[in-house]
């Protein structure tokens, strides 16, 4: 094999160029040198041997009677010396020795070849990495400049900007760095991969590597909220009843989650269960704090009140508000955290307005045009598939569902898991008010001797002087005695 063939083979094997791209680059370089020598490359013909062991250059000329431009034309008599069958107007290829090109032309050809190979190399690398955005890559620390860390990734260079770094991490030369590919940049010197260790998707990728159940979609990550270097919250759920999503992520004795924490240099991680019911999800999201109650103040604006014991207040808020801030992002709700004492001291009219706002989802509960919700399928937030199965089984009526749930017969409904049934029950218990018939009769039939009517300041339900608790919302109250 010739030296040329060996050089081409080396480019293909070591640099990853295709044979066509190398062939095209050499051809362009020869034509650039040809143009530099003769002023044009329009009549330059480059032919390669089948095994790429040799290349031949021809100058294609038109046969004329009276040459005007010797670069592209040839006299008929001169052409007939090469071939007796030539006629005027024919084209003939005359072999040219590239060694006759002047030095400047050769330099131009080399420059064209070098530029062509560089562009081809960049294109190959770009095509190789363009589909890897969002994946994890491992490299080694090279240097730092103006806060940006440069990472050796082998074929390409990686850059880890300061905004994509964790404040916990410090590196020294040749330290191993695992990061997420965020973007690809073309530069004059080649290709750069923009890396990140602060992105929530970096944590997602690390967890997927550690937890087989997430990799095979048995357990899925609903959402991740993160403040890099400080705390991360991960909401997970399971696609199988018998698999605990939190337990799968934490692992036996916490081995799996500890591996993730170690990769994040000790960053705190809360793994919690996702729940389609907002009140329960907010409770879970505020972990490790224990939440007593969650009130959805405005579902349209997504504002909620979380009530916690006094000793849990600072834990729920977190250092500089970090815990509640991450919970806000995770749930996509604006959560206001109050202690039980603070919640009790809040203006009753505010709470009443909030409950009426929530009740409006049921047709204006607490108002004169209230319409009772009687079926499971009418409940907001209910899973449509579950509602259809319950309707087909004869349990679309809320009272029938509750009765069947209490006696355990609801478990016999085919097509619904215990988890799905429990989710329906939670929505009913959280949103439907059950009033006994006796209490309703007493409320509707009782009148005061003096003809005055009294209403609950909390929900607006009619009450009587002998009551100490609202039969509808349960608010406790007392009537002040008239002074004589």
């Amino acid at each position: 094999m010739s030296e040329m063939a060996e050089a081409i083979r080396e480019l293909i094997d070591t640099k990853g160029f295709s044979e066509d791209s190398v062939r095209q680059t050499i051809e362009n370089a020869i034509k650039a040198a040809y143009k530099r020598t003769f002023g044009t490359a329009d009549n330059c013909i480059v032919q390669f041997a089948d095994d790429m062991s040799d290349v031949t250059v021809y100058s294609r000329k038109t046969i004329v009677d009276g040459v005007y431009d010797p670069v592209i034309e040839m006299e008929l008599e001169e052409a007939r010396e090469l071939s007796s069958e030539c006629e005027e107007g024919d084209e003939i290829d005359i072999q040219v020795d590239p060694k006759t090109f002047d030095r400047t032309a050769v330099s131009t050809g080399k420059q064209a070849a070098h530029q062509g190979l560089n562009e081809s190399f960049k294109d190959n690398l770009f095509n190789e990495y363009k589909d890897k955005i969002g994946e994890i890559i491992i490299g080694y620390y090279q240097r730092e400049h103006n806060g940006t860390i440069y990472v050796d990734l082998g074929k390409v260079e990686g850059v880890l900007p300061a905004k994509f770094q964790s404040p916990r991490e410090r590196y020294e030369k040749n330290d191993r760095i695992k990061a997420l590919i965020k973007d690809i940049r073309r530069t004059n010197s080649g290709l750069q991969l923009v890396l990140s260790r602060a992105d929530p998707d970096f944590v997602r990728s690390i967890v997927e590597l550690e937890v087989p159940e997430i990799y095979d979609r048995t357990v899925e990550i609903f959402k991740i909220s993160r403040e890099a270097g400080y705390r991360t919250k991960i909401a997970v759920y399971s696609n199988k009843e018998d698999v605990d999503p939190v337990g799968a992520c934490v692992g036996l004795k916490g081995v799996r989650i500890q591996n993730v924490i170690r990769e994040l240099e000790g960053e705190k991680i809360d793994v919690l269960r996702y729940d389609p019911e907002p009140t329960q999800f907010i409770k879970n999201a505020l972990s490790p704090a224990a939440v007593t109650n969650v009130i959805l103040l405005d579902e349209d604006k997504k504002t909620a009140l979380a009530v916690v014991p006094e000793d849990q207040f600072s834990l729920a808020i977190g250092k500089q508000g970090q815990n509640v801030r991450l919970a806000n992002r995770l749930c996509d709700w604006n959560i206001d955290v109050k202690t039980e004492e603070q919640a009790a001291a809040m203006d009753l009219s505010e709470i009443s307005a909030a409950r009426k706002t929530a009740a409006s989802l049921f047709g204006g509960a607490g108002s004169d045009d209230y319409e009772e919700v009687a079926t499971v399928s009418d409940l907001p937030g209910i899973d449509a598939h579950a509602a259809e199965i319950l309707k087909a089984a004869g349990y679309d009526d809320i009272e029938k569902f509750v009765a069947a749930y209490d006696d355990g017969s609801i478990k016999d409904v085919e097509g619904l898991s215990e988890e799905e049934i429990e989710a329906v029950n939670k929505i009913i218990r959280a949103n439907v008010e059950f009033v006994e018939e006796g209490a309703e009769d007493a409320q509707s039939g009782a009148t005061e001797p003096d003809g005055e009517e009294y209403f609950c300041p909390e929900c607006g339900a009619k009450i009587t002087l002998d009551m100490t608790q609202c039969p509808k919302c349960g608010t406790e109250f007392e009537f002040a005695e008239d002074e004589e």
Side-chain angles (χ1 to χ4, degrees):
M1 184 179 289
S2 69
E3 291 182 6
M4 178 179 173
E6 289 180 5
I8 291 173
R9 185 58 52 198
E10 183 178 354
L11 286 173
I12 293 172
D13 293 341
T14 61
K15 296 292 186 179
F17 297 129
S18 66
E19 186 173 306
D20 288 340
S21 67
V22 175
R23 185 194 301 264
Q24 188 63 46
T25 300
I26 295 173
E27 183 176 338
N28 291 341
I30 292 173
K31 285 185 175 181
Y34 184 97
K35 183 177 181 179
R36 182 76 179 184
T37 302
F38 299 106
T40 181
D42 293 342
N43 67 328
C44 179
I45 308 299
V46 180
Q47 292 182 352
F48 290 87
D50 292 339
D51 61 356
M52 297 285 286
S53 61
D54 196 12
V55 61
T56 309
V57 184
Y58 295 94
S59 178
R60 180 163 291 176
K61 298 185 179 184
T62 304
I63 300 173
V64 296
D65 186 10
V67 172
Y68 176 75
D69 186 351
V71 174
I72 60 175
E73 295 174 339
M74 176 176 275
E75 286 285 355
L76 177 60
E77 294 143 358
E78 187 180 352
R80 281 182 173 171
E81 292 178 4
L82 300 174
S83 175
S84 59
E85 298 178 358
C86 291
E87 297 292 339
E88 189 174 334
D90 290 346
E91 290 183 335
I92 187 170
D93 292 341
I94 308 299
Q95 185 172 348
V96 179
D97 185 358
K99 293 179 181 179
T100 62
F101 295 166
D102 60 42
R103 185 174 297 176
T104 306
V106 173
S107 177
T108 301
K110 286 182 178 179
Q111 186 177 358
H114 183 70
Q115 184 177 353
L117 288 173
N118 277 343
E119 289 301 319
S120 180
F121 185 56
K122 288 181 188 179
D123 290 341
N124 288 343
L125 284 179
F126 185 83
N127 292 331
E128 180 181 346
Y129 286 100
K130 68 179 180 180
D131 296 327
K132 294 184 179 182
I133 293 177
E135 294 184 7
I136 295 292
I137 194 168
I138 297 174
Y140 295 90
Y141 178 93
Q142 279 187 319
R143 67 187 187 281
E144 182 178 348
H145 181 66
N146 292 335
T148 297
I149 294 173
Y150 291 82
V151 184
D152 179 12
L153 299 172
K155 293 182 181 179
V156 295
E157 183 180 59
V159 289
L160 186 60
K163 65 179 180 179
F164 293 150
Q165 297 173 27
S166 169
R168 280 181 175 268
E169 299 166 352
R170 297 289 181 272
Y171 300 101
E172 295 181 359
K173 191 170 179 62
N174 295 325
D175 278 355
R176 172 182 169 277
I177 297 178
K178 181 185 289 187
L180 183 83
I181 301 176
K182 188 80 173 174
D183 196 9
I184 302 178
R185 292 177 186 165
R186 290 180 180 268
T187 65
N188 293 332
S189 59
L191 208 67
Q192 274 188 346
L193 300 187
V194 181
L195 308 177
S196 174
R197 282 183 58 88
D199 198 288
D201 284 336
F202 175 65
V203 178
R204 182 188 297 270
S205 298
I206 297 298
V207 174
E208 285 178 355
L209 292 173
E210 293 292 337
V211 184
E213 289 85 352
I214 290 181
Y215 185 80
D216 64 17
R217 301 297 182 223
T218 301
V219 174
E220 294 196 42
I221 297 174
F222 174 73
K223 193 174 180 181
I224 296 176
S225 61
R226 184 185 186 204
E227 290 193 4
Y230 302 100
R231 196 178 207 102
T232 293
K233 287 184 179 289
I234 307 174
V236 294
Y237 63 93
S238 174
N239 291 318
K240 291 185 179 179
E241 294 179 35
D242 57 343
V243 177
D244 174 20
V246 176
C249 293
V250 172
L252 185 64
K253 296 183 180 179
V255 171
R256 291 176 176 176
I257 201 64
Q258 283 301 321
N259 289 338
V260 178
I261 292 172
R262 195 177 299 113
E263 178 61 45
L264 300 181
E265 301 290 341
E267 183 175 318
K268 293 180 181 178
I269 298 179
D270 299 329
V271 182
L272 53 100
R273 185 188 294 268
Y274 165 72
D275 197 297
E277 174 58 37
T279 54
Q280 186 58 48
F281 189 28
I282 290 171
K283 280 186 178 181
N284 297 347
L286 286 170
S287 65
V291 180
T292 305
N293 190 23
V294 172
I295 301 170
L296 306 183
L297 301 177
D298 190 327
E299 295 206 20
D300 291 332
K301 295 181 180 179
K302 288 199 168 185
T303 57
L305 175 67
V307 182
V308 299
E310 183 71 35
D311 62 348
Q312 295 289 304
F313 183 73
S314 60
L315 193 60
I317 295 294
K319 187 178 182 180
Q320 298 179 345
Q322 187 183 90
N323 193 60
V324 70
R325 188 163 58 246
L326 289 172
N328 286 346
R329 294 180 202 160
L330 193 70
C331 301
D332 199 23
W333 280 76
N334 186 13
I335 306 167
D336 185 17
V337 179
K338 300 287 185 184
T339 65
E340 293 172 345
E341 185 178 347
Q342 289 171 334
M346 290 180 69
D347 188 352
L348 290 178
S349 62
E350 292 181 8
I351 300 295
S352 176
R355 288 187 178 175
K356 286 181 180 179
T357 300
S360 66
L361 294 171
F362 304 98
S367 63
D368 294 337
D369 59 348
Y370 169 73
E371 293 181 7
E372 183 180 358
V373 177
T375 62
V376 171
S377 55
D378 288 337
L379 291 166
I382 204 75
D383 182 75
H385 175 68
E388 286 180 13
I389 294 178
L390 289 171
K391 188 173 183 179
Y395 292 110
D396 191 39
D397 182 83
I398 289 177
E399 291 187 2
K400 287 184 179 180
F401 176 91
V402 172
Y405 180 87
D406 290 340
D407 64 23
S409 59
I410 194 71
K411 295 180 180 179
D412 298 332
V413 176
E414 293 185 5
L416 283 182
S417 65
E418 289 186 16
E419 192 173 13
E420 289 173 316
I421 292 172
E422 184 60 35
V424 174
N425 182 58
K426 283 182 180 179
I427 293 176
I428 292 174
R429 301 293 181 182
N431 299 295
V432 178
E433 194 74 40
F434 295 94
V435 181
E436 296 181 2
E437 290 186 10
E440 263 188 9
D441 294 340
Q443 179 182 333
S444 60
T447 57
E448 296 304 310
D450 57 4
E452 288 188 31
E453 294 183 338
Y454 298 89
F455 300 91
C456 175
E458 179 77 10
C459 65
K462 187 181 289 187
I463 57 176
T464 59
L465 289 173
D466 60 338
M467 294 181 182
T468 59
Q469 186 177 24
C470 176
K472 189 166 188 178
C473 68
T475 299
E476 296 183 358
F477 46 76
E478 62 180 3
F479 291 91
E481 296 181 2
D482 294 335
E483 294 182 2
E484 302 243 332

